């Protein structure tokens, strides 16, 4: 499997785990020193796997209201030891899509290759301001 296919599979598996509320799989293949800039505060982002872990339970709770979290497009660029990917996801509830049908979560992921495994070191999640 080439690097771009491996990274695509990693991100697609992560998105399925997010939708399923599977915290262990969400955290898998993430660096101990991950940095994430997310939609909700803190504005300066979260740093480290422990802080990253703490962001997910509230999201899972919101998602249980019937929200979707589905990748619509995903592009991956991989070098020898670093890579990035960007994606658009349908992320929201029926009520949110009724108000803004084109609502999409923008995702950017930075990765580094540790040995023969790709590891997520950075995530950025955002919505366009309406």
């Amino acid at each position: 499997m080439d690097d771009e296919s491996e990274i695509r599979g990693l991100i697609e598996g992560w998105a399925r785990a997010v939708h399923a509320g599977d915290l262990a799989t969400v955290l898998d293949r993430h660096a101990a020193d991950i940095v994430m800039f997310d939609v909700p505060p803190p504005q300066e982002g979260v740093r480290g796997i422990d802080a990253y872990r703490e962001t997910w339970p509230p999201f899972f709770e919101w998602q249980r209201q019937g929200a979707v979290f589905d990748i619509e497009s995903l592009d991956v660029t991989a070098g020898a030891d670093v890579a990035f990917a960007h994606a658009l996801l349908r992320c929201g509830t029926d009520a949110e899509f009724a108000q803004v049908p084109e609502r999409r979560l923008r995702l950017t992921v930075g990765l580094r290759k540790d040995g023969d495994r790709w590891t997520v070191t950075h995530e950025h999640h955002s919505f366009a301001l309406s």
Side-chain angles (χ1 to χ4, degrees):
M1 175 182 312
D2 67 17
D3 288 333
E4 289 184 11
S5 297
E6 181 183 347
I7 292 166
R8 177 176 296 281
L10 188 159
I11 293 170
E12 289 170 344
W14 170 86
R16 285 190 300 273
V18 168
H19 184 68
D22 177 357
L23 184 59
T25 303
V26 168
L27 299 174
D28 187 42
R29 307 278 296 268
H30 281 67
D33 60 348
I34 186 169
V35 174
M36 178 179 69
F37 299 116
D38 204 359
V39 173
Q43 297 298 322
E44 65 275 6
V46 296
R47 288 164 168 52
I49 195 69
D50 292 335
Y52 179 79
R53 178 185 298 110
E54 292 173 13
T55 67
W56 288 105
F59 183 83
F60 295 154
E61 182 63 32
W62 168 80
Q63 202 170 224
R64 281 192 277 279
Q65 300 172 32
V68 297
F69 193 84
D70 298 321
I71 294 175
E72 285 194 339
S73 66
L74 172 60
D75 293 296
V76 176
T77 301
D81 58 357
V82 294
F84 70 92
H86 55 89
L88 291 174
L89 293 90
R90 281 182 46 87
C91 178
T93 63
D94 287 343
E96 290 166 330
F97 289 121
Q99 290 180 340
V100 185
E102 66 278 4
R103 174 187 169 98
R104 297 297 180 270
L105 177 71
R106 301 175 298 190
L107 170 68
T108 304
V109 178
L111 306 98
R112 74 173 171 246
K113 199 164 197 178
D114 293 325
D116 63 348
R117 288 176 42 115
W118 286 100
T119 303
V120 176
T121 59
H122 177 78
E123 287 181 25
H124 187 125
H125 312 159
S126 66
F127 287 105
L129 296 176
S130 308

